[in-house]
Amino acid sequence: VQTRLEAHVIAMGMPVKLSVNDDHIKILSDLAELKSQIDVDRAKRAEERAEAVIRTEDDTTAQAALARAQARLKATEQL
């Protein structure tokens, strides 16, 4: 029996649909980026822009942008 384990860090958005079978997992999401694909500087700038908007107004688009930026930054800190 050969077992191969791989670990990947992924920034994901919501909602997420997960399907688990004997030998694989399927993940469906509106946003999924591998750690290696994330531009940290761009994510930090996006986080700063969203925070600036949120400080001045209650903007759901800015809140969603902030959540995406923070998910990307958190993914880059893993492993």
Side-chain angles (χ1 to χ4, degrees), residues 8-11 35 70-79:
H8 298 278
V9 175
I10 302 172
K35 177 180 176 179
Q70 290 174 334
R72 287 178 176 116
L73 292 170
K74 185 172 182 175
T76 64
E77 297 168 357
Q78 303 298 312
L79 290 179

Side-chain angles (χ1 to χ4, degrees), residues 7 58 61:
D58 184 24
T61 301

Side-chain angles (χ1 to χ4, degrees), residues 22-75:
D22 292 334
D23 62 347
H24 63 279
I25 298 172
K26 290 182 185 177
I27 302 170
L28 300 176
S29 173
D30 290 343
L31 167 71
E33 294 176 89
L34 293 172
K35 177 180 176 179
S36 62
Q37 297 173 325
I38 297 170
D39 182 333
V40 175
D41 292 332
R42 183 177 179 207
K44 287 179 181 177
R45 289 191 306 271
E47 180 182 44
E48 291 168 1
R49 284 192 306 271
E51 287 173 338
V53 171
I54 291 168
R55 278 194 294 273
T56 61
E57 59 187 276
D58 184 24
D59 186 315
T60 57
T61 301
Q63 291 171 354
L66 178 60
R68 287 190 305 272
Q70 290 174 334
R72 287 178 176 116
L73 292 170
K74 185 172 182 175

